[in-house]
Amino acid sequence: MDEVHTTKVVLLGRTGSGKTSLIVRYISSVFSENVKPTIGAAFSKKTVQLIHGEERKQVVLAIWDTAGDERYESMAPLYYRNSSAAIICFDLADRQSYNKVDFWVKELVEKVEQNCKLYICGTKTDLLAEYGGPLKRAVGPTEVMAYAKKLNAKFVETSSKSNYGIDDLFKLVAADFAGFTLCEAPPIEDSLRLQEPNQTDVNEKSSCCF
Amino acid sequence: MGQQQLQPVVVIPIMKAQIKELGMHGSLSRCRFRGVCWRVFLDCLPRDTSKWITATTKLRKSYDEIKEKYLLDPHQQHGKDINIDNPLSQDKDSVWCQFFEHTELMQIIEQDVNRTFPELTFFQSARVKNIMMNILFCYSRDNSALSYRQGMHELLAPIILTLERDIIHTKSKAENLSDIAQHLLQEKYLEHDSFHLFAQLMTVAEWWYLQPERDEMRERTKDKSRPVENLLDVRLFKYDQHGSDLDTPSSHLAKKVNYIQNVLLKRIDYELCSHLARLDIAPQIYGIRWIRVMFGREFPMDDVLVLWDAIFADGKPFSLVDYVYVAMLTYIRNWLLESDYATCMTKLMKYPPAGDISYFIDKALYVRDPSNNMKPPQYEYGATVKISKKEVQSNTSNAKTERKFLASYHAKTRNTSDSKNKEVTTKQKETSLSVVMKSHNTKPINIKSTRDRLSKGEDDVFLSHSDIESDLCIISHPTNTKTEQTPRVSKPRSISFSRKRSGSERKRSTSTSDPIDLNLKTKFEDLKIMCKYCSSKMDSYIESLQQEMQLLSMGDREDKILLAVAGLKKVRDILKGTLPFAGSPIEPDDVIDTDILVPAARVASRTPSPSEEFESSIDVDAEKEDLKELVDSSSTATDDINSHN
């Protein structure tokens, strides 16, 4: 009999950073270009199976999507209270979006959850030139990683459109929660290179505009 | 002439009540002037129609001014002083400084506008997007304390859609429109008119967006040194009510949704209210979205518009919103009652599709004011409601009827209150919201809905639209036409002030309804349903009485009893409507004529006082019937009758 654990995960981040798309991709395996902005919050759950040698665990992720409009902030604690994990999203091609990450981190740490594990998630890799997209990276990976390290947070990159890194992200969240070390879980730095959809622009990858 | 000029003044208050009724009953959905009705409801148009043109012109001009003030393009503003107005200026008054300051606001608005109802192509056009952006930007600047908040765009979108539909619907007949209608419905002013309608809506809706001051919040948060809770708490998913209340000053909206769930819902559904409380479901979590976009996410667009018709018609401060909220909870009540926290949450956050939007309006009106509104038939999500054992035992036929009841509200509203629907239809047909105006046109021009009332020839213009039944009519009249001068004040049912009318029209134009009238009709319907209920109940009691009589010996009292039964049958037939009620009490000798029909031979003679038994059995049965059952089964009776028809 598998052990079953339940945990609450909350997604935060600036409006338009792709929180809802990330969840929709993870839960329903679909992607649409225009997702209505979240008003209030949304709730969904999914079970993750973890196998480590002989040990098997089931983790039920209760995932809370929130509104990106930070002026709704007084509502936010309602959603992120008791979260064991927070995924803070930003659009890799939008500097303003990245600038808001710190706001949400402070919000979370200062107001409610000291014990909450943090994941910084750069979204929309499909838009980046290095993956064949039209836009440039707005913030370099080294900058984000340095910031993440300071917070003791993990940094991942995803694309809801090309379904890149999403299952891994939630698996990582579940494993961390259950106290598993995923054998296939890459170190933070390597997580960037996980499942690269487009290998052609590897050289460009290290370059960044900031 | 003097009288003619007076008319609009007389018309409008009545007209407002009239279109209000239409709005309440979902009848505006086929109205080509729904937007105009909304403008009347939300006070964008004054009561006096003769002032519509000037009022509209004034509002449009004011929007132009607002727009000029906020949507300044620094490239085109040749500032008075180049030292202040240049892109590198640090001066706060510089047009450039203001321009940069609000670029982010514009970006956020643009992002949401691009994501407005992606399923509807109307909102994908650059023209509409541009209109939305301008309006939202101007509104945010003009209300800088509130600024723009996500969700506002979805309050604006249906407004633009509705006003645009008005314009499109009347475009091809532009030359037939009166001066007023032409003035009101102009494509180039879509943005202006939408802005003001939106601003009016926001005078109420802003309370749903306001948040407590950030500083105030920080203060409070710092004061609280909340103990760190165990993350593996059983309340893991849940909202920590006490903690949250202490930490965060509640917004106006949070108070509102809490009031709805904890007070309004409790009043009518204690069980559901306590279930939600037990599960610790905070209304903020699902309710904020329901209210902020006024149910725009919970129902498809056309249903949303019908809902808004009623909310707007009901008027500010849109108190109907609270009761629609309650109706939405009760619609899924049984489903919620069976569910745990996570399932409840999922359903509340992803509201199940509802068959008939009018249920929510009817129910909301009923919950708010049960004495003046008809109780809508029971209608629930999934229609898988368990019938309580007691009911099944006590009356199987009742259980059957109840089950039937849950089938579909749609079918029900059609059948149950067929006559009510007829009424509404009649109302639609007969209502000509005529705003009489003087036209310089010599050719008679009519825009109207009233098929029945107006002669065929006059109807040609619009009757090609078979779906159009009710319209706000803005009828232009030729100055040289002989007209009927007297408003039918003596007949409050008619609000037609059409001055040109044939004799036959006059005959037909007697019944439209004002609120009092509708009230009476509703009461009449109630009584009718009650009669049907009583007659069907009497049927079954008489039957069981007769069966019992067969087993009993009544001796010489038999005649009396038979007479009494016959009398009861007569009363039943009167209630059923199959026997005319002459207005006089039933004569004892009448009774014998009726069809009785207990074979005397089979009647045994045992019970000393059968009449007593009869009475007591009625009493017991009557006690069993509660009010709910009464309405339910009586409407089923109507249901059956109507299905025969």
Side-chain angles (χ1 to χ4, degrees):
Chain A
M1 192 62 193
D2 295 358
E3 277 184 70
V4 181
H5 302 271
T6 303
T7 184
K8 180 172 171 181
V9 183
V10 64
L11 274 86
L12 301 166
R14 188 180 193 255
T15 170
S17 56
K19 300 176 288 298
T20 306
S21 290
L22 188 77
I23 294 170
V24 169
R25 168 59 92 178
Y26 180 59
I27 302 283
S28 334
S29 309
V30 290
F31 174 78
S32 79
E33 289 286 344
N34 283 315
V35 180
K36 291 180 188 176
T38 307
I39 312 282
F43 170 80
S44 37
K45 61 174 189 171
K46 188 160 174 170
T47 307
V48 182
Q49 305 273 359
L50 296 169
I51 304 167
H52 182 54
E54 292 293 294
E55 213 179 343
R56 295 161 70 92
K57 274 186 187 174
Q58 275 193 19
V59 177
V60 178
L61 298 177
I63 305 166
W64 285 82
D65 190 10
T66 61
D69 189 340
E70 80 270 14
R71 280 163 298 189
Y72 286 156
E73 64 192 44
S74 76
M75 290 314 304
L78 207 73
Y79 311 125
Y80 51 67
R81 169 151 300 129
N82 293 334
S83 305
S84 61
I87 301 172
I88 298 163
C89 298
F90 71 96
D91 181 346
L92 284 165
D94 178 7
R95 181 79 204 182
Q96 279 179 325
S97 184
Y98 178 69
N99 292 343
K100 273 282 181 292
V101 171
D102 196 45
F103 167 87
W104 287 110
V105 169
K106 287 204 173 101
E107 188 73 15
L108 196 68
V109 172
E110 178 186 316
K111 246 191 220 158
V112 198
E113 297 305 333
Q114 286 91 340
N115 290 4
C116 185
K117 283 205 177 68
L118 295 181
Y119 301 83
I120 312 279
C121 176
T123 59
K124 312 187 191 180
T125 54
D126 56 281
L127 289 180
L128 300 179
E130 65 209 72
Y131 292 95
L135 302 173
K136 281 186 173 179
R137 239 176 221 278
V139 50
T142 40
E143 185 185 344
V144 188
M145 275 186 283
Y147 176 73
K149 203 171 176 182
K150 200 176 80 187
L151 294 171
N152 198 19
K154 293 185 177 177
F155 171 47
V156 290
E157 289 188 356
T158 60
S159 163
S160 304
K161 193 174 182 177
S162 58
N163 195 16
Y164 163 57
I166 299 202
D167 283 349
D168 292 325
L169 167 63
F170 285 99
K171 212 182 257 179
L172 184 66
V173 171
D176 284 350
F177 172 72
F180 269 48
T181 21
L182 287 179
C183 23
E184 73 272 37
I188 300 165
E189 290 80 3
D190 285 356
S191 66
L192 284 177
R193 291 186 177 77
L194 201 74
Q195 288 181 22
E196 273 166 21
N198 187 342
Q199 297 286 350
T200 52
D201 296 320
V202 173
N203 293 338
E204 245 183 74
K205 212 178 159 185
S206 52
S207 72
C208 56
C209 15
F210 285 90
Chain B
M1 217 38 208
Q3 224 168 343
Q4 284 173 20
Q5 281 161 356
L6 263 176
Q7 279 168 6
V9 188
V10 184
V11 170
I12 290 307
I14 307 171
M15 187 197 73
K16 197 166 175 180
Q18 190 81 36
I19 55 176
K20 186 174 160 170
E21 280 306 314
L22 293 176
M24 284 296 179
H25 293 94
S27 308
L28 286 183
S29 49
R30 280 169 294 181
C31 174
R32 278 164 294 120
F33 295 101
R34 177 185 245 166
V36 177
C37 294
W38 284 14
R39 283 152 85 175
V40 173
F41 295 147
L42 298 186
D43 304 322
C44 283
L45 292 173
R47 295 166 75 91
D48 180 357
T49 36
S50 64
K51 290 179 184 156
W52 281 12
I53 290 186
T54 41
T56 311
T57 312
K58 204 172 149 196
L59 285 179
R60 285 169 180 167
K61 196 165 164 254
S62 85
Y63 178 67
D64 277 331
E65 285 161 12
I66 291 170
K67 202 173 164 182
E68 198 180 329
K69 190 168 157 197
Y70 298 121
L71 277 174
L72 29 91
D73 179 358
H75 299 93
Q76 292 179 1
Q77 298 267 321
H78 298 295
K80 309 108 207 172
D81 187 349
I82 194 73
N83 292 320
I84 294 171
D85 288 324
N86 68 70
L88 300 174
S89 166
Q90 296 292 310
D91 195 311
K92 278 194 173 171
D93 294 332
S94 139
V95 277
W96 282 96
C97 187
Q98 288 182 25
F99 176 74
F100 290 130
E101 196 181 313
H102 299 290
T103 312
E104 191 183 352
L105 174 65
M106 196 51 140
Q107 277 172 356
I108 289 172
I109 291 174
E110 186 176 3
Q111 196 170 42
D112 285 349
V113 165
N114 283 331
R115 302 191 277 172
T116 307
F117 297 106
E119 69 276 15
L120 300 176
T121 46
F122 174 74
F123 296 106
Q124 310 317 314
S125 81
R127 181 180 74 98
V128 174
K129 283 182 180 175
N130 192 41
I131 288 175
M132 285 190 73
M133 272 180 330
N134 287 345
I135 293 174
L136 290 169
F137 185 79
C138 289
Y139 177 83
S140 312
R141 293 292 314 278
D142 209 33
N143 298 271
S144 50
L146 181 65
S147 190
Y148 170 75
R149 303 220 167 156
Q150 290 188 321
M152 286 182 188
H153 66 300
E154 285 180 34
L155 287 179
L156 172 64
I159 288 177
I160 298 182
L161 179 69
T162 302
L163 293 186
E164 170 84 354
R165 278 184 182 169
D166 273 17
I167 294 169
I168 290 171
H169 282 148
T170 50
K171 214 173 186 176
S172 54
K173 301 113 195 166
E175 70 281 1
N176 293 338
L177 292 177
S178 68
D179 291 349
I180 289 190
Q182 284 191 28
H183 189 81
L184 290 182
L185 307 167
Q186 294 183 61
E187 204 173 339
K188 62 177 172 177
Y189 291 122
L190 176 64
E191 186 178 323
H192 300 65
D193 299 340
S194 301
F195 174 83
H196 286 291
L197 202 48
F198 174 69
Q200 281 298 319
L201 167 60
M202 286 308 295
T203 56
V204 176
E206 66 179 342
W207 293 100
W208 309 336
Y209 287 88
L210 283 169
Q211 289 291 313
E213 283 300 310
R214 198 184 155 78
D215 297 342
E216 188 193 342
M217 249 174 52
R218 291 223 177 275
E219 286 294 303
R220 294 228 203 164
T221 318
K222 275 175 191 164
D223 291 346
K224 297 286 157 207
S225 46
R226 226 165 41 86
V228 179
E229 286 155 55
N230 181 1
L231 287 176
L232 293 172
D233 195 305
V234 278
R235 295 156 61 94
L236 209 52
F237 290 82
K238 298 176 189 174
Y239 149 72
D240 181 350
Q241 207 163 11
H242 309 292
S244 180
D245 285 346
L246 291 171
D247 281 1
T248 318
S250 299
S251 66
H252 187 273
L253 182 56
K255 283 178 193 147
K256 185 188 180 78
V257 290
N258 273 289
Y259 174 77
I260 296 171
Q261 185 178 304
N262 300 328
V263 179
L264 297 182
L265 178 67
K266 196 176 192 171
R267 247 181 240 165
I268 67 143
D269 198 337
Y270 185 81
E271 194 185 0
L272 180 59
C273 177
S274 37
H275 179 71
L276 294 176
R278 205 167 37 242
L279 292 179
D280 230 353
I281 291 179
Q284 292 96 308
I285 291 177
Y286 64 92
I288 278 184
R289 188 182 61 218
W290 286 12
I291 295 210
R292 257 191 198 140
V293 294
M294 238 157 76
F295 314 110
R297 292 277 175 97
E298 272 51 57
F299 302 104
M301 179 60 91
D302 281 332
D303 285 351
V304 171
L305 297 181
V306 174
L307 208 51
W308 285 25
D309 286 340
I311 292 167
F312 292 164
D314 186 57
K316 289 177 189 176
F318 305 150
S319 75
L320 201 60
V321 165
D322 302 14
Y323 297 91
V324 169
Y325 187 116
V326 173
M328 284 172 68
L329 287 175
T330 57
Y331 172 69
I332 53 172
R333 76 177 293 276
N334 286 292
W335 198 92
L336 291 173
L337 288 175
E338 290 169 1
S339 307
D340 62 356
Y341 178 85
T343 329
C344 275
M345 218 61 250
T346 316
K347 216 57 172 181
L348 287 168
M349 291 211 170
K350 204 178 255 174
Y351 199 74
D356 192 334
I357 194 73
S358 55
Y359 164 77
F360 297 93
I361 300 167
D362 293 349
K363 180 82 181 189
L365 290 170
Y366 175 75
V367 173
R368 185 172 64 183
D369 184 6
S371 52
N372 288 318
N373 290 286
M374 209 154 76
K375 186 181 179 183
Q378 202 175 341
Y379 178 53
E380 277 160 32
Y381 172 66
T384 53
V385 183
K386 288 178 286 183
I387 294 137
S388 76
K389 277 178 199 161
K390 188 183 144 205
E391 272 170 328
V392 176
Q393 281 164 0
S394 70
N395 193 338
T396 38
S397 68
N398 261 353
K400 216 190 261 171
T401 51
E402 191 150 334
R403 224 174 282 135
K404 221 187 211 165
F405 243 93
L406 297 167
S408 128
Y409 184 77
H410 210 69
K412 241 173 290 160
T413 39
R414 289 261 161 82
N415 296 327
T416 317
S417 39
D418 183 54
S419 42
K420 180 196 162 195
N421 272 7
K422 265 184 199 157
E423 222 171 85
V424 174
T425 322
T426 322
K427 207 172 10 157
Q428 284 171 5
K429 285 187 181 166
E430 291 178 350
T431 308
S432 171
L433 302 167
S434 319
V435 180
V436 182
M437 284 160 265
K438 205 179 117 185
S439 159
H440 302 293
N441 206 327
T442 46
K443 198 178 145 203
I445 295 156
N446 301 285
I447 305 154
K448 72 217 130 355
S449 58
T450 353
R451 298 179 186 191
D452 289 353
R453 177 126 54 79
L454 295 149
S455 68
K456 283 228 157 100
E458 288 173 305
D459 264 1
D460 285 344
V461 186
F462 284 109
L463 280 189
S464 51
H465 292 254
S466 55
D467 59 337
I468 293 162
E469 300 220 342
S470 69
D471 274 29
L472 172 67
C473 297
I474 299 176
I475 303 185
S476 300
H477 284 276
T479 44
N480 60 350
T481 316
K482 280 198 175 177
T483 54
E484 187 182 310
Q485 298 282 350
T486 330
R488 293 164 178 258
V489 179
S490 56
K491 286 179 185 170
R493 289 169 150 228
S494 168
I495 58 136
S496 171
F497 292 86
S498 190
R499 278 169 274 149
K500 177 176 178 289
R501 202 168 294 143
S502 71
S504 62
E505 285 160 17
R506 217 168 290 172
K507 271 181 219 158
R508 273 174 286 170
S509 66
T510 44
S511 63
T512 35
S513 44
D514 61 12
I516 304 160
D517 201 24
L518 190 91
N519 221 335
L520 285 174
K521 279 181 184 166
T522 316
K523 286 205 172 120
F524 172 71
E525 280 313 311
D526 282 348
L527 284 173
K528 219 159 94 181
I529 288 172
M530 199 184 75
C531 286
K532 293 243 164 78
Y533 168 78
C534 291
S535 62
S536 70
K537 279 287 160 196
M538 282 183 78
D539 246 350
S540 59
Y541 293 136
I542 291 172
E543 197 182 318
S544 60
L545 191 66
Q546 285 180 341
Q547 278 170 6
E548 291 302 317
M549 280 165 67
Q550 289 171 15
L551 305 170
L552 303 172
S553 159
M554 288 169 288
D556 49 356
R557 294 182 178 214
E558 189 182 332
D559 280 356
K560 274 192 177 175
I561 293 165
L562 290 178
L563 275 178
V565 171
L568 285 174
K569 287 192 174 179
K570 193 159 184 179
V571 174
R572 176 201 62 195
D573 291 342
I574 292 172
L575 285 172
K576 257 186 195 166
T578 51
L579 192 72
F581 174 56
S584 59
I586 302 159
E587 301 298 326
D589 42 335
D590 278 4
V591 174
I592 302 194
D593 298 338
T594 46
D595 54 335
I596 307 229
L597 328 169
V598 183
R602 274 196 262 154
V603 177
S605 52
R606 254 191 316 135
T607 319
S609 58
S611 59
E612 268 174 43
E613 189 186 308
F614 172 64
E615 273 179 33
S616 66
S617 90
I618 294 251
D619 284 343
V620 172
D621 278 332
E623 275 169 24
K624 281 185 195 164
E625 311 296 333
D626 58 18
L627 186 65
K628 178 171 153 287
E629 210 176 284
L630 184 142
V631 175
D632 286 353
S633 46
S634 59
S635 359
T636 320
T638 332
D639 209 333
D640 293 341
I641 287 157
N642 288 326
S643 61
H644 282 301
N645 297 342

